[in-house]
Amino acid sequence: MTRFDENDAFEAAVPLSRRAMAARPQPYLDDLNPAQRAAVMALDGPVLMLAGAGTGKTKALTARIVHLLDSGKARPNQILAVTFTNKAAREMKDRVARMLGQVEGMPWMGTFHSISVKILRRHAELVGLKSNFTILDTDDQLRLLKQLIVAANIDEKRWPARMLAGLIDNWKNRAWTPAKVPASEAGAYNNRGTELYEQYQHRLRELNATDFGDLLLHVLTIFQAHPDVLAQYQNWLPYILVDEYQDTNVAQYMWLRLLAQAHRNICCVGDDDQSIYGWRGAEVGNILRFEKDFPGAQVIRLEQNYRSTPHILAAASGVIAANAGRLGKTLWTERQEGEKVRLIGHWDGEEEARWIGDEVEGFQRGRGDLRLFGLDDMAILVRASHQMRAFEDRFLTIGLPYRVIGGPRFYERLEIRDAMAYFRLAVSPEDDLAFERVVNQPKRGLGDKAQQEIQREARSHGLSLLEGARGLLARGGIGGKGAGQLRAFVDGIDRWHAITLQRDHDHIRLAEQILDESGYTAMWQADKTPEAPGRLENLKELVKALEQFENLQGFLEHVALIMDNETEEAAEKVTIMTLHAAKGLEFPVVFLPGWEDGLFPSQRSMDESGQRGVEEERRLAYVGITRAEQVCTISFAANRRVYGQWQSQLPSRFIDELPAAHVEVLTPPGLYGGGYGAAGMASSLEAKAMRADVYSSPGWKRMQDRGASRPVSQPREGRHVTIDLQAVSAFTLGCRVFHQKFGYGTVQGIEGDKLDVAFDKAGAKKVVAGFVVPAQQADDIPF
DNA sequence: GTTCCAACATTTTTT
DNA sequence: ATGTTGGAAC
């Protein structure tokens, strides 16, 4: 973690010296194109940099920072540079450092959350917190909510805590404090949503804790309620830069607007076509209305692409063109060479994995006239993480080294979270959530009963759980084997806590001591399940990670905000990851498998968000294609096993949108000459004929022999039926409908453009009317 | 208090 | 198919 001087960050703005104004060579401007240079030089007034994929936006952004400093306009601590991820923040820091040779003085470069924490620690008392508040992660949050749900006598089965957590998160993303949640949301979570939200916030305050949403929301509240504090920050930070602006949610937007109001010197960089986080509150609208929010804003488009071949750009543009309401950009490149985007259909998912494995090996050895590619140059980008498995299986079989990005993160693993809870207890023994997590981990014979006793004791005296336990032991309120174990646990915490208070204690040694004395290490050593050795390994790694910090406290703070795990192994490997994880990356060779309707675009996205959902999926397709520098291969399978069930698939509607002139359709290899290779590009009638062909093919018979079931009739027309809002009237209560994925069902309810449908096979689901057809329409289509 | 089995869900993910 | 979770049996 980059260390910075607290005082430096909060130092009042000092008039600039003249020395910086002196003429100096400005090499960082030299290798910019005209658009980039315009974005860098426009230092007065609001700027929106619309930067398409691969157009050098990070370069322009960092050059702008350097220019701000170099021209003497701003001192390093006067620039607020916000990103979404730690990775992006790190990259920006690195690049500024490379251009300038130092970043120590840039205390306000970081993620929305890390900057918010810095502000909130200073003004915590304004929102009823102490400045040493703890930051809860999703797990702690859920446990807290569960307690509230139980206390409120709600059936947790029908109203899961996850749902409430999601709801509260959504509200916080929209900057709604409990008091500001609009009446229209009153029905949420069985009519008790707002009430529980309020209780939750109350509990958090009692625990002197915040969740991630609070970090932003509290700062927002402070800014709104205390104009003097806001004015202070406005003066401190007259220059604002924002990366990935298309991903900001309403709370972040308000946060930014308040800070930018005074000086109006804000530069936002983003690409409306790459907004793929709508489902977690990102508002494309923020970028679309930038010019309205900041009148007189300059909009600068970066359109020259330095990454991909013309064919790849054309394919991506063709797909994204189908979206409505874009700001619009036309990517171009000076490059001439390059091959077309390749499209291939496969019989099933396994064949697809096999083929891609072969291709990867082919590229590695050098394929025809193409240059050799290393494994690091190749990536497989999937829509959903469960698609990764097929590739892992295949690559293991053929011994192809691969790396999966986006598995469960290190700090989210069970054993790491347990160990961290022990550390938390050692640092702050009053941390009740940590106490709860590990009192009985390893098993100490302290089950529900004993824990309830501790709770009661603590609550009745207004003490922490640890003190409650101590009190219970003192008055003999607990008996048997549990008592001795609890005594040892309490003593242990006291002992460890005492050590943390010593100056110059060895915190690494302490960590080892905690894990040993608590019996936690022993617990995993005794465990004979196959994953136990791995877990022990992880614990060792955790202790090693401590070396970079001065004490446990600093480490815990870091982990709460960072939560990532960048163990980069050197060996060459193919990368497998989701499309979401791939944003911001690039690879010479990209494979995009699984382009089948229902998988990509995802059925759920369409059912829940209708046309808006399809548009976001389409942006995801755009992100996918534009990751490729030289070779981009899109593929789909006619049959796929989904949750252990064979399903016949239709090529993605996005395949229909690919501009044929830039696509090379590869003949499907193998036995099954069903003609699926071009199905996605054929007219619907032809496609239907081809499907009929496939179902009568020997290949399909063979699949049936292997246990595949005959697919539900999936009318291709269904994919393109778009029923406008009035046409919801085509549906009545009780009418029969047909859905691509779930088959036949009966309409149970109608709300707006959503239908509540009881499907014969899949149970009750809510779907957008545009994505089901009246049953008789489906019956008309022969199969 | 612990272990085992049936029911259940199952896009995407950062902080 | 597979992993998680809650409740019943031990």
Side-chain angles (χ1 to χ4, degrees), chain A residues 683-697:
Chain A
S683 77
S684 55
L685 268 178
E686 282 168 300
K688 226 191 284 178
M690 284 182 196
R691 273 179 75 74
D693 215 31
V694 168
Y695 292 142
S696 59
S697 72

Side-chain angles (χ1 to χ4, degrees), chain A residues 179-417:
Chain A
K180 284 186 192 150
V181 176
S184 58
E185 301 280 314
Y189 198 76
N190 199 16
N191 297 323
R192 319 254 324 245
T194 29
E195 168 198 336
L196 282 162
Y197 181 20
E198 207 165 336
Q199 288 176 17
Y200 172 64
Q201 290 306 108
H202 189 76
R203 253 327 255 147
L204 282 178
R205 213 152 282 163
E206 281 176 359
L207 288 165
N208 190 31
T210 69
D211 61 17
F212 285 118
D214 278 343
L215 295 178
L216 281 149
L217 199 48
H218 282 326
V219 170
L220 201 56
T221 311
I222 292 170
F223 283 169
Q224 284 166 338
H226 303 271
D228 52 318
V229 178
L230 174 61
Q232 206 173 27
Y233 281 94
Q234 286 173 335
N235 284 332
W236 268 332
L237 302 166
Y239 293 94
I240 301 177
L241 294 98
V242 191
D243 196 11
E244 305 279 14
Y245 188 59
Q246 77 281 354
D247 287 334
T248 47
N249 61 37
V250 173
Q252 287 156 341
Y253 163 78
M254 292 172 71
W255 189 102
L256 282 171
R257 213 176 49 172
L258 283 173
L259 281 172
Q261 250 167 18
H263 297 269
R264 290 181 17 100
N265 195 305
I266 181 169
C267 172
C268 294
V269 188
D271 180 358
D272 49 323
D273 292 334
Q274 292 190 66
S275 165
I276 55 174
Y277 287 108
W279 48 273
R280 69 176 198 217
E283 275 284 337
V284 213
N286 290 345
I287 195 168
L288 298 179
R289 35 157 227 270
F290 187 86
E291 288 179 84
K292 269 190 215 126
D293 289 334
F294 296 97
Q298 286 190 60
V299 178
I300 296 169
R301 287 180 159 75
L302 304 192
E303 297 179 305
Q304 181 174 4
N305 177 290
Y306 297 97
R307 181 186 295 161
S308 313
T309 64
H311 285 310
I312 291 172
L313 286 186
S317 304
V319 171
I320 199 68
N323 269 5
R326 304 168 53 218
L327 287 169
K329 288 182 299 318
T330 319
L331 295 184
W332 60 277
T333 176
E334 282 175 350
R335 295 173 60 173
Q336 291 301 321
E337 82 286 7
E339 62 179 307
K340 294 182 176 179
V341 167
R342 307 184 307 162
L343 174 66
I344 182 166
H346 299 283
W347 174 253
D348 62 20
E350 276 134 55
E351 184 186 291
E352 185 182 50
R354 215 175 306 136
W355 185 81
I356 289 180
D358 289 350
E359 279 290 294
V360 168
E361 290 188 323
F363 281 126
Q364 201 186 1
R365 279 195 300 269
R367 198 178 56 94
D369 49 335
L370 282 171
R371 76 167 174 84
L372 287 160
F373 291 103
L375 292 179
D376 282 341
D377 293 339
M378 297 186 251
I380 295 153
L381 311 181
V382 297
R383 171 68 244 265
S385 49
H386 65 77
Q387 289 172 264
M388 295 178 177
R389 192 186 202 100
F391 294 98
E392 289 196 62
D393 283 352
R394 181 62 193 161
F395 293 175
L396 281 172
T397 311
I398 62 176
L400 190 67
Y402 66 89
R403 100 171 46 89
V404 170
I405 297 199
R409 270 177 296 284
F410 186 69
Y411 291 115
E412 277 164 28
R413 288 181 202 154
L414 177 93
E415 66 278 13
I416 299 303
R417 298 183 39 78

